[in-house]
């Protein structure tokens, strides 16, 4: 593929390169005079008697320069150096990278094949596999879920035992393989007062301080406004649509009345990217086991 918009720049680069190399050779040639019998001085004198002689360069030194000129010509012929010319060896940095990646993939394939056949819970207990899992996690997942997997606002904590999309092995694999799209629809049409009632009710579900009159009204609205359709009649959530459990102490966006009101009024859209096509089934399996191992640890209890 050409990196240049017009062929002009291609030839411009080739020409400049050649002129420079040939220019060096010509310069060397013109300096290659036979050593004179008497040596001139340059006329510079320091400290009264210190004169600068004008010796020609020694032969071996000249030849070193000639060799660099020859080397650069050979190099230009073999490697992609001149404009769009690909070089006789067909080498490219992306090609070398692809080859190295293929080699590593080939070397590790039997191991990943073995991991893929291992049950997720058993794999989560395999120390060596989990070290690989951690490396994969730090490469692909850390930027959103954090180095310690504890997440941030809008990015779920993976180290706890609270699951938005389900914590069963098959559900975790599905989440990582195909991604998830969490959609909490906006409910601004309910009006500010009802939204405040609902926010107080949601807070009361997780035993946070709330206005009792608003809680009672909010409880009614929770059913009449259709919240139950996704979060369930008891507010414990529904993994199938990614509706979080509203009765626990885990918050994706925050538990203040203002934040909850904002969630209800404006809704939330959230996306976990799909990884199957990018990293392959086997790595998804190891990553899922790693996520499982995190929530099985002390932090998950
Ligand atoms: C671009 C940011 C981003 C990256 C990168 C990312 N995730 Fe996510 N992930 C999210 C978001 C956002 C959610 C929540 C989706 C929602 O709210 O519906 C999520 C949800 C999840 C869940 C579901 C948690 C639950 O409680 O059900 C798991 C498991 C998960 N991610 C694992 C991973 C793994 C493993 C990786 C690395 C391969 C990864 N994520 C990379 C953004 C990301
Ligand atoms: C169509 C299904 C659906 C309906 C209806 C729905 N929700 Fe949600 N809700 C969700 C989903 C999905 C999320 C998670 C959004 C995300 O992944 O970012 C969510 C998130 C929330 C959160 C944020 C929780 C946190 O941890 O920060 C609150 C609060 C909430 N909903 C309250 C309500 C209330 C109150 C109603 C009724 C007015 C309601 N929801 C109606 C699906 C729904």
């Amino acid at each position: 593929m050409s990196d240049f918009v017009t062929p002009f720049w291609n030839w411009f680069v080739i020409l400049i390169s050649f002129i420079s190399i040939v220019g060096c050779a010509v310069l060397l040639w013109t300096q290659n005079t036979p050593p004179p019998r008497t040596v001139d001085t340059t006329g510079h004198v320091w400290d009264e008697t210190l004169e600068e002689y004008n010796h020609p360069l020694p032969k071996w030194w000249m030849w070193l320069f000639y060799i660099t000129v020859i080397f650069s010509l050979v190099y230009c012929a073999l490697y992609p150096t001149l404009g769009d010319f690909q070089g006789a060896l067909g080498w490219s940095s992306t090609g070398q990278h692809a080859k190295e990646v293929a080699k590593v993939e080939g070397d590790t394939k039997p191991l990943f094949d073995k991991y893929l056949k291992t049950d997720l819970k058993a794999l989560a207990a395999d120390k060596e596999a989990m070290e690989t899992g951690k490396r994969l996690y730090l490469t692909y997942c850390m930027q959103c879920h954090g180095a310690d997997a504890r997440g941030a606002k809008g990015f779920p904590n993976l180290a706890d035992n609270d699951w938005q999309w389900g914590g069963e092995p098959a559900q975790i694999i599905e989440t990582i393989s195909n991604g998830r799209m969490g959609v909490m629809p906006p409910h601004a049409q309910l009006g500010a007062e009802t939204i405040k009632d609902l926010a107080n009710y949601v807070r009361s579900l997780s035993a946070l301080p709330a206005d009792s009159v608003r809680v009672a009204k909010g409880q009614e609205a929770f059913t009449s406004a259709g919240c139950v359709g996704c979060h369930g009649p008891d507010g414990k959530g529904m993994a199938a649509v990614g509706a979080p459990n509203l009765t626990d102490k885990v918050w994706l966006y925050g538990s203040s009345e203002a934040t909850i009101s904002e969630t209800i009024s404006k809704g939330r859209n959230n996306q976990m990217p799909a990884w199957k096509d990018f990293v392959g089934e086997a790595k998804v399996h190891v990553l899922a086991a790693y996520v499982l191992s995190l929530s099985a640890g002390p932090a998950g209890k």
Side-chain angles (χ1 to χ4, degrees), residues 15-62:
L15 206 67
I16 296 261
S17 309
F18 261 120
I19 290 175
S20 317
I21 296 173
V22 173
C24 285
V26 170
L27 182 69
L28 276 174
W29 185 251
T30 57
Q31 300 304 305
N32 194 10
T33 46
R37 295 198 183 277
T38 57
V39 178
D40 291 340
T41 74
T42 59
H44 300 150
V45 182
W46 289 274
D47 287 344
E48 295 174 7
T49 54
L50 196 57
E51 292 179 287
E52 187 184 3
Y53 285 125
N54 188 13
H55 279 293
L57 289 170
K59 271 264 170 328
W60 63 270
W61 185 272
M62 294 293 278

Side-chain angles (χ1 to χ4, degrees), residues 164 182-185 187 190 198 202 222 225-227 230-231 241-244 246 250-254 260 263-264 268-270:
Q164 195 182 339
V183 180
M184 157 80 196
H187 285 82
L190 296 176
L198 281 163
V202 168
F222 197 74
C227 314
C230 294
H231 293 280
V241 295
L246 301 176
V250 179
W251 296 90
L252 191 55
Y253 296 101
I260 298 176
T263 300
I264 299 172
R268 303 277 187 188
N269 276 308
N270 217 1

